[in-house]
Amino acid sequence: MAHEDTNVIDQPEVLKPRMVSIEISGKKYEVPEGITVIKALWYTGQEVVRGAGCLGGFCGACATYYRTKDDPKVRTCLACQMAVQDGMSFTIMPPFPARKAIYDIQTLKDPKQDLFNLYPEAPLCRNCNACTEACPQKIDVREGVWKAVFGDFKSVSEMFMDCVMCGMCTPVCIADIAPNLVALYVSRAQGAHFTEKPQGLETRIKEIQDGRFNDEWNKVLAMNEKELADHCATVK
Amino acid sequence: MDIHALQQIVHKTRDARRKQTIPKFSPADRDALIEKYHPDFRKSAYRPIRFGPNADEQTVIELATLLEGDSPIADDLDVTPHYQTDVLVIGGGGAGCAAALHAHGTGAKVILATKLRLGDSNSVMAQGGMQISVAPEDSPVTHFLDTLKGGHMQNDHALLKVMVEEGPAIAKWLIELGVLFDRQADGNLHVKKGGGSSKPRLLTCSDYTGLEIMRVLKDEVLNQKIQLLEFCAAVELLSNDEGHCTGAIFKDLDNHRLVVVAAKSVILATGGIGRLHIQGFPTSNHYGATGDGLCLSYRMGAKLAHIDTFQYHPSGAVYPEQLIGALVTEGIRSEGGHLVNSKGERFVNELDTRDVVSSSIIRECEEGRGIRTMSGRVGVWLDTPLLDAEHGPGTVEKHFPAMMLQFERFGIDISKDPVLIYPTLHYQNGGVKIDTNSETNVKNLFVSGEASGGLHGRNRLMGNSLLDLMVFGKRAGLTAASRAQSMAQGKLTLQHLRRFRAEAKQHGSPSGVISPMVLPAYTRKEN
């Protein structure tokens, strides 16, 4: 008789998946509880071309609106990162037609002032906080827009490091701001114009150009297989 | 048993484990371990390719089947072009964007075509960092030697030398575009140590390195107004009388119409093959990683290198079910996270190379020291709370915000609970063989990024992929663009396809498989 294995995690939902009712773009389906929203789409036979990307929560392709049972609030999620539950209703959001400003990052003269030319709507934020509520990455988007307008580019770039560019902050903005695009501009400007140039990197580039490592290269590249393997083993 | 009950062994043994030092394996023990447990050595998963440039060489069955597969294109198709360009870039990830930007920068006309959206790629998911020797105690030569050792001495020396030497210039380019790498207090680039590396060499942007780089590159592609063909999957290449590459045929995924693009040169930057789920492994790869570029190049006559070796990232999530295969970044181990079996023991030096660590985890699980989930998966613990214990509360949250968020969505706080992991199919070590300008043996056909092969040998070191795709994306872009200036558009034919079909016929009945796969078949169909 098989002895009881004590190293098994109980997952009753896996052994006997409980089926739950969900609604996708208005049509009802039964799917196993706990699968992700994107897997629910596949489970119901739907091919996904728009709305699937990295499947790991990084690319923002699967921006989704959803609502749970008996709750009037429409929420947002990434379809690859959200488990379905009974009574849930959802629809994938196609990319929203936001306007992206076109600029040459390297020749900007006054990036903080240029923000107002590139995104003139940015200072019109009415503080409603809808963008922050819409962000599946829990970024304080409203705060970020304000900081951008007040020229605190460093804080914005730190706050938006988590931004997957899903764009769900955009359709909810009553001032027609695309906060993610504003933040991307600000972060790039911060990186290209307001961050110290790393001296060590410049030194290394010059060393390579000046051939500082040439002798070592010549030595290594002249080695036979055995010598090279032995040499590699000495690198600690 | 309740997962929390099983996790107690990790909490209980933590203090004792912290006093331990686990030595790295000797080269002989390492080789024996890999041969016994690494999936690359499971003979039953392999078979020889029957025909084509790599005839009789072994690769995994899933890939061999696709390489021998038939094109969806009739070889008498009217190939009157819908578009004409100097440089055609296929693939919108890191390598594709880098290639397109550099080619465009020289004044060449560039079209970037991609199967999904611009940016959809494995690159965007890269968390660990980018290896560049910038630290004073480090050097490109040391980077070369570390990579060679990690790659089992099989790396192409010329490619590797180019990569390590051009790395610092690439970092400079990215910084000028506005990429925000982590810094030290003195303004220099902060470097972390990765598995298999002798010096700290990883440039990072928190644990969002790939995302940060890709946000910037995508934005730059848009700023440069490079012509895009999105939701267009490459399904065949075009060749002239001499077999040189002259363009490609795409399937528009919206209306299934075929789109013909004439190009003076073609850069394939189509990424890897994780979504083939070779040997049944889950994968950390994005939805489109189905190895399209390998099939297209192979039919064209391009030789592949090292296609019998794949990287199984040691730490893919095993629990909860929703995160199966998702990556638990190597950064956790870099910062001292332990791997722990069901008995509460460490069993490998966590900073050994990925193939060694993966093989050790598989060994623990096969020998009964793993933890099983009821869905039939098995794994070992990664002691994530150890980081807070070691470096102070809040460390996990501060250094790994992406991972915290990913698990938090399923009610798991990784700063308090260890996570269950098992190797996940992560990277294709080999690919289409290229020279130092990213060109294949087929003239005017360039390949860069994960689809190319030779650079990483039989095992890739963490952080070398982001550098690979930038350096060889750049070289492909520059070479393709400069050549386009001095040449005429080649004739568009499907001669190579007729040749390929004739050869396939000689080797028995066609398998009936159409390649490339384009997208994995996850959609459930009722019988």
Side-chain angles (χ1 to χ4, degrees), chain B residues 10 14 17 332 337-340 381-387 418-419:
Chain B
V10 182
R14 183 169 301 127
R17 279 186 278 109
I332 301 273
H338 292 168
L339 291 168
V340 181
W381 299 113
L382 176 63
D383 189 356
T384 45
L386 172 65
L387 269 50
V419 295

Side-chain angles (χ1 to χ4, degrees), chain B residues 215-444:
Chain B
R215 269 192 302 245
V216 170
L217 292 187
K218 265 164 66 178
D219 194 49
E220 191 59 15
V221 167
L222 297 174
N223 277 346
Q224 298 297 335
K225 300 183 183 168
I226 290 170
Q227 187 176 357
L228 297 178
L229 298 176
E230 287 182 302
F231 299 102
C232 281
V235 288
E236 194 51 69
L237 294 171
L238 293 160
S239 60
N240 69 3
D241 302 335
E242 292 153 283
H244 302 169
C245 189
T246 58
I249 303 174
F250 296 85
K251 187 165 100 175
D252 184 327
L253 296 182
D254 288 333
N255 52 25
H256 296 233
R257 190 176 69 107
L258 292 175
V259 177
V260 179
V261 181
K264 291 181 181 172
S265 56
V266 174
I267 301 172
L268 277 172
T270 50
I273 69 164
R275 292 278 153 196
L276 301 188
H277 296 289
I278 58 178
Q279 300 195 39
F281 269 82
T283 183
S284 58
N285 284 189
H286 80 105
Y287 190 38
T290 49
D292 299 353
L294 298 186
C295 305
L296 296 174
S297 318
Y298 196 70
R299 283 209 283 268
M300 190 80 170
K303 176 108 177 141
L304 310 176
H306 294 151
I307 42 156
D308 56 338
T309 159
F310 300 90
Q311 183 159 75
Y312 299 82
H313 191 291
S315 46
V318 176
Y319 182 94
E321 278 291 301
Q322 294 89 343
L323 291 181
I324 297 296
L327 218 57
V328 174
T329 170
E330 183 161 329
I332 301 273
R333 280 180 289 125
S334 299
E335 292 201 17
H338 292 168
L339 291 168
V340 181
N341 67 18
S342 64
K343 298 181 163 178
E345 304 157 340
R346 287 170 75 187
F347 49 85
V348 64
N349 182 303
E350 286 83 359
L351 288 184
D352 219 321
T353 49
R354 285 179 172 175
D355 50 355
V356 172
V357 178
S358 288
S359 301
S360 306
I361 295 169
I362 294 172
R363 180 189 64 189
E364 291 307 294
C365 293
E366 287 192 0
E367 292 182 354
R369 293 183 297 277
I371 299 90
R372 293 199 288 115
T373 73
M374 279 204 163
S375 60
R377 300 181 191 276
V378 60
V380 297
W381 299 113
L382 176 63
D383 189 356
T384 45
L386 172 65
L387 269 50
D388 276 16
E390 193 81 39
H391 310 292
T395 303
V396 176
E397 189 172 6
K398 184 161 182 281
H399 294 186
F400 304 102
M403 247 194 83
M404 277 290 282
L405 196 62
Q406 211 170 19
F407 279 85
E408 206 176 272
R409 289 182 172 119
F410 301 101
I412 298 167
D413 179 349
I414 63 166
S415 69
K416 294 194 171 58
D417 293 320
V419 295
L420 201 59
I421 56 106
Y422 189 78
T424 182
L425 179 54
H426 187 56
Y427 193 82
Q428 157 192 299
N429 292 326
V432 187
K433 199 170 161 51
I434 54 167
D435 65 17
T436 52
N437 284 323
S438 279
E439 194 165 12
T440 66
N441 60 299
V442 174
K443 199 168 177 203
N444 302 328

Side-chain angles (χ1 to χ4, degrees), chain A residues 8 34 50 103 163 188 200, chain B residues 1 188 215 219-220 254 322:
Chain A
V8 180
R50 279 177 177 74
Y103 49 88
C163 176
R188 289 191 63 185
Chain B
M1 205 184 286
N188 273 314
R215 269 192 302 245
D219 194 49
E220 191 59 15
D254 288 333
Q322 294 89 343

